[in-house]
Amino acid sequence: MTDVAATDLARPQGPSILRRLRGDYFATPVDAVISIVCLVALVAIIVPVLRWALIDANFVGTTRNDCTGGGACWVFIRARFGQFMYGLYPIEERWRVNLAGLLLLATVALSFWKAMPQRGRVVPLMWVAVMLVGVWLLSGGLGLVRVETRQWGGLMLTIFLSVYAGVLAVPLGILMALGRRSELPVIRMLSTIFIEFWRGVPIITVIFLASLLLPLIMPAGWDIDRLVRAVVGLAFVIAAYMAEAVRGGLQAIPKGQSEAAAAASLGYWTTTRLIVLPQALRIAMPAMTNEFIALVKNTSLVSIVSIFDLLGIAQAALADPNWVGMNNEAYVFAGSVYWIICFGLSRWARRLEGKKTTY
Amino acid sequence: MAELTRLIYDKRAREIFWQVVILLALVIVTVFIVRNASQNMVNAGIASGFDFLWRTSGIDVPFVLTDYTSNSNILGLLWVGVVNTLVVTIVSIIAATLLGFVVGVARLSKNKLLSGIAGAFIEIVRNIPLLFFVMFWYSLVINALPAPRQSIGIFSVAFLNNRGLTIPVPVEGSAFKIAALVILAGIVGQAAIAIWAKRRRDATGQIFPAWATGLVLLIGLPVLAFGIAGFATTWDLPAFRGFNFRGGFVLVPEFVALFLALTVYTAGFIAEVVRGGIQAVVKGQWEAAYALGLRPNRTLSLVVIPQAMRVMIPPMTSQYLNVLKNSSFGAAIAYPDLVSVFVGSALNNTGQAIEIIAITLAIYLAIGLAVSGFMNWYNAKTALVTR
């Protein structure tokens, strides 16, 4: 700390940019070499990428023949944009997806609105409501045209899987975390086994497990939609990780809190609901957001069982004979969308972490 | 009656009651599942049990490190999957740890350009699905390399094309065994030197270049041995016949793509673990080392990293376990790992879904437990002794 202050004082106020550059990048010969190597490497990577993605790229047109530059053929992404977003969802019904998305955004915003009266009760009810309305909007029935889940796909499906598996995982994860810290040996053991099992196996085997075994263990004639299977599988895994995040939060609550509640003759559930969980969840929030980010990334695995989420539909689009060899464009586009979503969420998690310290 | 009310309000009795209820519910669910499953299997005409493991597999696997052929039984196929999973996991863990350390230390560099590049790498890699990297690398590897006919020859003994890197392998014989022994001796020698050098450094403060010596030993000894004995070995040279190379050993592009994806992705996470570990070492340790006249890189390697290790081991264990689990992403590009050959090919052939998935899960859990057991032992060994 002190040497920073000293150099600040020593630094003259005048034309300091050159001096600062020298101080930051060329202070010693080793520093200078590192800086030059970094600069060369950066230029060697960025220049070709920029040339490919922007300068030599083609943006307008409708067919492959419009791509005359040597770079990226973004025409392909434009032509396929609808599919990347909605899969094979009927074009005239896409407003339903958009409406469901808006409702979701509104629910998220309301969940973080501090001034809402009865927040602890309203928020869970709101999520239940929006999830039920969401299923109705997306799949139809009751006045809307039915859209089979087979036709769902693209970014919409990625978000659907993440939200439904994530929201189911939160209560399950909280229960498992409480169970793991319970004083009752049977409950503690069962919760521990649940958590360690799902954390110990690859998520890809869980997706196979859900898609192959779930129909096998149900009574004959029960047909579970394959999207439901995927959601159940993902939810179990994420619940196990969420449970560990919540356990971290629970461990941070001093024992005096529940002892004080017991002295006020509050029972276990009242204490947990009103005193322990609100504090623990606030602490666990950044960790839970990180688990949610992992979930968003892992939903891409459903393409293994032929469910076409964003990455799956990007790969499927490559099979179109009119657009052979568009691999880089498809992957770069899908990767960028994932990156924007996950990076946004992780920045948000970091902001939550920053806020926590003010309490 | 009074007895009963007392029982309802008794904490102990209530606790036992709820645990019994939960156990009963679990039993009911299990019975329900088992009954449905056996009923469904009878309907589908599948016999349960593990006898299928001894049936001939009839499945060709493109990347085999065991003595498996399609005439082997399914147990042999399972072993191929396990070995392939372990190979890609171990190689990726080593590479990701090295790359992760470099990036993590670079992230903390005073040079803003270097730390900025490291930061960008971390943020890009961590926020994109691993499956994306697997597919992207695979498409790059496949598209960038020529067809077998236009292979890139390396001294005309090894050939690189879009079906992989074909390398000559020594035919198993006495000279081959000697070479293997020499490599083993090199590894043991390097370990011995490292331990001796550390003891001497702790005792006298003199630093012995153990790394450089070890490297000479590790590379030099085998080269020497091959020079003497290796020419006597008969080599299985790849040669172009028909449409592809015959002979030699093929390092398939699926392996390369999966290895690159796992390495780059995991390195992003390990870099953050390393950064966190180094930052957890209090600044006074650096200052004290400087005051003793240690140079910055010596301070890092002798004072800071050993202490940071203690902080790093638990999260590092999770990352290693993630590599093991994530190696299953190879199934997406048909790298013949455990999931791919067993939950994929073997299940398709036999239809024994329950048994195959149970075996697969059990194997992952067993390897995972072994890894975390080892890391916990290592952790206990290096942990700070507190009184």
Side-chain angles (χ1 to χ4, degrees):
Chain A
M1 275 294 132
T2 47
D3 52 286
V4 171
T7 49
D8 274 348
L9 282 178
R11 188 179 287 153
Q13 292 297 308
S16 64
I17 295 173
L18 262 181
R19 265 168 189 277
R20 201 176 301 171
L21 266 177
R22 226 179 90 187
D24 283 347
Y25 302 108
F26 300 99
T28 63
V30 177
D31 245 354
V33 170
I34 292 176
S35 296
I36 290 167
V37 169
C38 284
L39 204 65
V40 170
L42 213 58
V43 170
I45 294 169
I46 288 183
V47 168
V49 169
L50 278 185
R51 278 185 68 114
W52 176 79
L54 294 174
I55 299 167
D56 294 344
N58 287 89
F59 294 89
V60 278
T62 46
T63 66
R64 199 191 164 78
N65 297 331
D66 295 316
C67 288
T68 46
C73 183
W74 297 123
V75 178
F76 166 62
I77 302 297
R78 271 178 76 142
R80 286 275 173 165
F81 190 76
Q83 274 197 24
F84 280 124
M85 294 297 116
Y86 303 96
L88 300 177
Y89 210 87
I91 295 171
E92 63 278 8
E93 302 293 331
R94 281 179 187 170
W95 62 271
R96 281 154 53 177
V97 179
N98 297 338
L99 183 59
L102 281 177
L103 282 176
L104 176 69
L105 279 181
T107 313
V108 172
L110 280 175
S111 304
F112 286 88
W113 183 39
K114 291 263 153 41
M116 189 199 294
Q118 290 281 312
R119 202 161 153 245
R121 267 163 224 259
V122 174
V123 168
L125 281 178
M126 213 162 55
W127 276 100
V128 172
V130 80
M131 284 173 73
L132 291 176
V133 172
V135 167
W136 171 61
L137 270 177
L138 295 177
S139 64
L142 285 175
L144 288 175
V145 185
R146 271 209 84 77
V147 180
E148 297 298 325
T149 53
R150 209 176 306 116
Q151 292 168 278
W152 305 14
L155 181 63
M156 154 218 169
L157 191 59
T158 295
I159 294 175
F160 174 88
L161 289 169
S162 308
V163 168
Y164 279 74
V167 171
L168 286 175
V170 168
L172 189 58
I174 292 174
L175 277 181
M176 288 300 137
L178 290 173
R180 193 165 188 176
R181 285 173 55 83
S182 166
E183 286 165 8
L184 315 183
V186 172
I187 292 176
R188 190 171 59 231
M189 202 185 66
L190 290 177
S191 310
T192 310
I193 291 174
F194 178 92
I195 293 172
E196 294 304 338
F197 177 80
W198 295 110
R199 269 160 38 100
V201 298
I203 200 157
I204 208 167
T205 57
V206 176
I207 291 190
F208 276 120
L209 181 89
S211 94
L212 295 171
L213 285 198
L214 219 51
L216 207 57
I217 61 172
M218 286 294 154
W222 284 30
D223 189 29
I224 309 172
D225 190 276
R226 29 190 222 119
L227 265 194
V228 178
R229 293 181 218 163
V231 166
V232 170
L234 287 169
F236 271 32
V237 176
I238 296 311
Y241 284 94
M242 287 275 182
E244 288 299 272
V246 174
R247 185 160 76 112
L250 288 173
Q251 280 173 350
I253 308 299
K255 215 168 172 231
Q257 296 278 331
S258 42
E259 282 168 355
S265 77
L266 293 182
Y268 173 78
W269 286 109
T270 326
T271 310
T272 304
R273 192 169 62 83
L274 294 177
I275 293 163
V276 177
L277 265 189
Q279 302 181 65
L281 287 183
R282 194 180 298 142
I283 296 171
M285 202 54 200
M288 288 168 79
T289 315
N290 282 336
E291 296 306 345
F292 185 70
I293 296 171
L295 166 67
V296 174
K297 292 193 286 175
N298 278 327
T299 53
S300 59
L301 282 174
V302 295
S303 55
I304 300 271
V305 288
S306 313
I307 299 176
F308 293 106
D309 71 318
L310 177 58
L311 194 55
I313 207 121
Q315 220 194 3
L318 298 176
D320 186 338
N322 293 324
W323 297 98
V324 170
M326 292 292 154
N327 298 34
N328 292 347
E329 286 83 351
Y331 286 133
V332 167
F333 175 74
S336 308
V337 174
Y338 276 110
W339 189 81
I340 290 167
I341 293 173
C342 296
F343 184 72
L345 284 170
S346 76
R347 276 293 129 119
W348 187 36
R350 208 166 290 178
R351 244 192 64 204
L352 288 173
E353 213 159 346
K355 264 190 194 160
K356 191 184 70 197
T357 53
T358 61
Y359 281 100
Chain B
M1 196 59 209
E3 288 274 299
L4 199 67
T5 19
R6 202 173 324 126
L7 214 55
I8 289 172
Y9 287 105
D10 182 52
K11 189 161 173 260
R12 187 94 202 104
R14 237 173 13 191
E15 284 177 2
I16 292 172
F17 172 74
W18 283 115
Q19 299 194 63
V20 169
V21 166
I22 285 179
L23 273 183
L24 267 179
L26 199 67
V27 169
I28 291 170
V29 170
T30 313
V31 168
F32 175 76
I33 286 175
V34 170
R35 275 189 52 178
N36 289 334
S38 52
Q39 191 61 49
N40 286 332
M41 279 169 77
V42 167
N43 291 348
I46 307 168
S48 60
F50 292 92
D51 295 340
F52 72 98
L53 286 175
W54 280 267
R55 250 182 262 159
T56 307
S57 82
I59 297 165
D60 271 316
V61 182
F63 187 69
V64 179
L65 299 166
T66 64
D67 51 7
Y68 171 88
T69 65
S70 59
N71 292 325
S72 309
N73 58 21
I74 291 187
L75 202 60
L77 181 71
L78 173 65
W79 182 235
V80 169
V82 172
V83 169
N84 284 349
T85 288
L86 287 179
V87 165
V88 78
T89 301
I90 292 167
V91 177
S92 305
I93 281 179
I94 294 170
T97 307
L98 294 176
L99 184 61
F101 256 89
V102 171
V103 176
V105 172
R107 182 82 189 94
L108 288 170
S109 164
K110 271 203 210 108
N111 190 315
K112 282 182 194 153
L113 207 54
L114 186 60
S115 81
I117 292 174
F121 173 82
I122 292 170
E123 291 292 2
I124 290 174
V125 161
R126 282 167 52 103
N127 288 307
I128 293 178
L130 173 61
L131 190 63
F132 165 86
F133 287 107
V134 173
M135 290 176 169
F136 187 67
W137 280 118
Y138 189 53
S139 118
L140 275 190
V141 167
I142 290 288
N143 287 328
L145 294 174
R149 200 171 284 280
Q150 285 86 36
S151 293
I152 305 163
I154 303 163
F155 303 121
S156 54
V157 288
F159 299 93
L160 188 65
N161 57 49
N162 60 14
R163 305 227 183 124
L165 176 68
T166 313
I167 50 173
V169 282
V171 177
E172 226 171 304
S174 57
F176 175 74
K177 276 181 189 144
I178 292 171
L181 276 178
V182 169
I183 292 175
L184 198 71
I187 294 172
V188 172
Q190 150 72 0
I193 289 179
I195 293 170
W196 170 79
K198 188 180 180 299
R199 286 230 180 103
R200 196 177 77 132
R201 195 189 68 213
D202 289 349
T204 65
Q206 280 172 308
I207 291 172
F208 183 80
W211 270 101
T213 329
L215 216 62
V216 170
L217 214 65
L218 273 181
I219 298 170
L221 267 184
V223 167
L224 199 73
F226 270 111
I228 298 166
F231 295 119
T233 324
T234 30
W235 291 82
D236 184 7
L237 287 170
F240 193 81
R241 268 183 224 117
F243 295 101
N244 206 349
F245 283 94
R246 298 284 150 82
F249 178 77
V250 185
L251 205 59
V252 290
E254 289 81 11
F255 176 88
V256 179
L258 184 60
F259 162 72
L260 286 175
L262 282 173
T263 302
V264 169
Y265 184 77
T266 314
F269 287 84
I270 290 183
E272 284 290 272
V273 172
V274 170
R275 181 183 65 88
I278 292 178
Q279 279 181 335
V281 177
V282 288
K283 227 183 151 199
Q285 294 285 332
W286 288 88
E287 290 165 353
Y290 287 157
L292 290 172
L294 282 178
R295 278 179 277 123
N297 50 355
R298 281 275 151 80
T299 306
L300 192 68
S301 65
L302 294 179
V303 178
V304 177
I305 299 254
Q307 297 187 66
M309 271 312 216
R310 295 186 182 129
V311 185
M312 283 187 250
I313 290 169
M316 210 70 122
T317 308
S318 314
Q319 290 309 326
Y320 290 171
L321 290 174
N322 279 344
V323 178
L324 169 70
K325 289 186 280 172
N326 287 340
S327 66
S328 61
F329 281 56
I333 52 170
Y335 171 72
D337 74 321
L338 176 55
V339 170
S340 183
V341 299
F342 213 53
V343 185
S345 314
L347 201 153
N348 260 340
N349 267 26
T350 62
Q352 306 278 1
I354 293 178
E355 293 85 352
I356 283 182
I357 289 181
I359 292 174
T360 310
L361 295 180
I363 291 175
Y364 276 107
L365 284 173
I367 304 175
L369 279 176
V371 172
S372 58
F374 171 77
M375 290 301 277
N376 284 341
W377 167 81
Y378 183 61
N379 186 33
K381 216 184 98 186
T382 54
L384 198 63
V385 182
T386 50
R387 273 174 280 254

